[in-house]
């Protein structure tokens, strides 16, 4: 995440310098996102078939090579838009299986450690906190590198180095965490089996009320946050003659997220999930109302911080709920399906909100964004699937440890009381 943050600051500037086209960076981001979403459809098949620790390591190594190729290509033939697109798509495709594998590793590692009340909640919230810190630090470090050393493709070697460090970090993890549970053999050709496996995971995601609700709520929050960051805030502060406030607002959003996820980690096991969920949804509603009102720059800034602060616990709660609802045997495929929905969600809101801003004015677009967030919060608070968040579901899948660690010497035994942590899913809502 640190390396991707650095690249997010360096790469658009590099594309603009080499192509001279202000739309080129947007095209690269759009194509890369589309490639990631497409890969999300099938990445789960890899993660549910190949050792997840190995998938994570290989993905990080290949990601490092794809980024390191940029200065090499520049030295040999010079960078142009074709090179940016090809290497950008390769990098986007490589990272998705690695991301999915890493998300499946955390709960497996948690099962190998001491089992305590609220452990999974704390781990997920801690990862949210660290991720939010890196989301804030990465672009800042990228901008610092550009300021100190000047704009050069060689700066992207820093991103390659972080991917290498990530691979080395995964190497030292307990190998048992990456073991994939045995699967029931199905008849047919490999392609037919793959299609059947994907269909099973999508049916499971859609039919389970909790998973379906968590995915839809998270997707809408990702979409509105993306529109807030990429469309609404830049247009509002530019029109107000305060373009510097755009970056300040994004920093306030990230700072609020850091504080919210850290507080959730500290209070995990002492404050009910439902309480956090209700407070979070009400805070999201109030925060977006302040942002959408566009009453004054400082009100918008405060609203963004409130959105970040209250959205972080909601993300952590939804992550734990997803953990408890998904069997380990299909975890990769369900995560892949969810990643596809998350990556595609912003495309459904960005263009319509931009159209509203262009035709009816920026206040109307702000009101539409606030209305969408408010509707999501109200529906989520009323949804039956989210009413009992602190008790085990009667239809919850069985604990996974006996399957996930089958055949591995020294695997931690399953607990008889059914409180064994199951694999997790952190729901980060920053694009």
């Amino acid at each position: 995440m640190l390396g991707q943050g650095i690249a997010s600051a360096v790469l658009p500037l590099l594309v603009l310098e080499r192509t001279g086209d202000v739309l080129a960076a947007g095209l690269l981001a759009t194509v890369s996102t589309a490639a990631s979403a497409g890969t999300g459809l099938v990445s789960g098949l890899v993660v549910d078939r190949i050792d997840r620790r190995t998938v994570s390591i290989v993905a990080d190594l290949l990601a490092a090579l794809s980024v390191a190729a940029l200065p090499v290509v520049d030295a040999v033939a010079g960078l142009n838009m074709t090179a940016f697109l090809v290497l950008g798509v390769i990098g986007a495709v490589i990272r998705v299986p690695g991301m999915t594998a890493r998300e499946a590793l955390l709960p497996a590692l948690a099962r190998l450690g001491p089992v305590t009340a609220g452990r999974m909640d704390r781990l997920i919230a801690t990862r949210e906190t660290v991720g939010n810190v890196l989301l804030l630090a990465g672009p800042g470090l990228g901008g610092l590198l550009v300021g100190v050393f000047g704009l050069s493709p060689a700066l992207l070697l820093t991103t390659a180095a972080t991917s290498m460090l990530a691979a080395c970090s995964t190497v030292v993890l307990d190998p048992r965490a990456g073991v994939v549970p045995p699967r029931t053999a199905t008849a047919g050709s490999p392609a037919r089996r793959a299609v059947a496996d994907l269909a099973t995971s999508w049916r499971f995601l859609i039919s389970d009320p909790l998973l379906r609700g968590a995915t839809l709520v998270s997707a809408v929050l990702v979409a509105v946050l993306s529109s807030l960051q990429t469309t609404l805030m830049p247009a509002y502060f530019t029109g107000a003659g305060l373009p510097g406030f755009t970056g300040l607002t994004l920093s306030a959003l990230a700072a609020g997220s850091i504080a919210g996820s850290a507080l959730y980690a500290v209070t995990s096991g002492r404050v009910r999930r439902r309480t956090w969920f209700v407070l979070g949804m009400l805070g999201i509603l109030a925060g977006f109302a302040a942002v959408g009102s566009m009453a004054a720059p400082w009100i918008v800034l405060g609203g963004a911080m409130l959105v970040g602060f209250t959205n972080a616990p909601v993300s952590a709660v939804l992550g734990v709920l997803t953990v408890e609802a998904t069997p380990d045997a299909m975890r990769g495929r369900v995560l892949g399906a969810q990643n596809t929905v998350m990556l595609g969600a912003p495309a459904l809101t960005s263009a319509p909100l931009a159209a509203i801003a262009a035709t009816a004015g920026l206040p109307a677009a702000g009101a539409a964004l606030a209305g969408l967030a408010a509707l999501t919060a109200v529906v989520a608070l009323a949804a039956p699937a989210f009413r009992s968040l602190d008790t085990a579901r009667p239809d919850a899948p069985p604990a996974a440890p006996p399957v996930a660690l089958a055949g591995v010497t020294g695997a931690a035994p399953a607990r008889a009381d059914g409180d064994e942590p199951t694999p997790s899913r952190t729901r980060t809502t920053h694009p």
Side-chain angles (χ1 to χ4, degrees):
M1 291 184 70
L2 180 64
Q4 290 173 11
I6 294 171
S8 72
V10 176
L11 196 55
L13 296 174
L14 192 62
V15 172
L16 181 60
E17 182 201 46
R18 296 304 173 91
T19 65
D21 186 356
V22 71
L23 297 178
L27 176 62
L28 177 61
T30 301
V31 172
S32 299
T33 300
S36 295
T39 306
L41 288 171
V42 297
S43 65
L45 294 173
V46 176
V47 176
D48 281 346
R49 284 168 166 77
I50 302 174
D51 183 277
R52 290 160 180 175
R53 178 171 163 270
T54 301
V55 172
S56 179
I57 293 169
V58 171
D60 282 331
L61 292 176
L62 292 177
L65 290 176
S66 70
V67 175
L70 281 164
V72 174
V73 171
D74 184 55
V76 174
L79 286 171
N80 54 31
M81 195 58 200
T82 300
F84 281 123
L85 287 174
V86 170
L87 292 175
V89 168
I90 291 174
V93 169
I94 288 170
R95 282 190 171 90
V96 175
M99 177 180 66
T100 306
R102 282 189 293 275
E103 290 171 347
L105 279 172
L106 176 64
L109 288 167
R111 290 199 304 268
L112 298 175
V115 177
T116 56
R119 175 179 172 82
M120 186 61 66
D121 296 72
R122 286 192 297 274
L123 285 172
I124 289 179
T126 300
R127 186 168 69 176
E128 289 272 333
T129 304
V130 174
N132 287 324
V133 169
L134 295 177
L135 284 170
L136 187 61
L141 180 56
L144 179 63
L145 290 173
V146 172
V148 173
F149 299 104
L151 186 60
S152 167
L155 293 180
L156 293 172
L157 293 176
T158 307
T159 295
T162 61
S163 294
M164 292 291 294
L165 180 59
C168 294
S169 300
T170 309
V171 167
V172 303
L173 297 181
D174 192 322
R176 292 177 294 170
V179 175
V180 177
R183 299 170 57 253
T184 302
T186 55
S189 64
R192 184 181 295 274
R193 291 198 299 271
V195 171
D197 284 346
L198 286 176
T200 299
S201 63
W202 277 96
R203 281 197 301 269
F204 180 80
L205 177 65
I206 294 172
S207 63
D208 187 283
L210 190 59
L211 276 176
R212 183 176 64 245
T215 302
L216 290 175
V217 169
S218 298
V220 174
L221 292 178
V222 167
V224 295
L225 281 168
S226 175
S227 298
L228 175 68
Q229 297 179 63
T230 62
T231 304
L232 206 61
M233 291 300 92
Y236 170 69
F237 287 118
T238 299
L242 299 167
F245 264 61
T246 300
L248 186 60
T249 301
L250 300 184
S251 296
L253 182 66
S257 297
I258 293 169
S261 54
L263 183 60
Y264 181 84
V266 170
T267 60
S268 173
R270 288 177 285 180
V271 178
R272 297 173 63 244
R273 294 178 192 167
R274 174 66 182 179
T275 301
W276 271 119
F277 188 76
V278 172
L279 291 175
M281 282 299 172
L282 292 177
I284 288 171
L285 191 156
F288 271 105
V291 172
S293 71
M294 299 184 180
W298 289 106
I299 292 178
V300 172
L301 183 68
M305 180 171 284
L306 179 60
V307 168
F309 180 77
T310 53
N311 176 67
V314 170
S315 296
V317 169
L318 294 178
V320 177
L321 295 179
T322 302
V323 169
E324 296 174 346
T326 308
D328 193 36
M330 65 168 62
R331 182 154 310 281
R333 284 165 287 156
V334 170
L335 293 178
Q338 290 180 324
N339 284 335
T340 299
V341 175
M342 300 301 152
L343 291 168
L348 300 178
T349 58
S350 296
L353 282 170
I356 293 174
T359 56
L362 204 54
L369 190 71
L372 180 57
L375 178 62
T376 302
V378 171
V379 171
L381 290 173
F386 294 134
R387 289 178 184 170
S388 299
L389 306 182
D390 298 275
T391 57
R393 300 189 311 157
D395 60 334
V403 177
L405 302 177
V408 181
T409 303
R415 287 180 56 183
D417 59 7
D419 287 334
E420 184 79 15
T422 49
S424 76
R425 169 69 163 163
T426 299
R427 207 31 98 208
T428 298
T429 56
H430 296 285

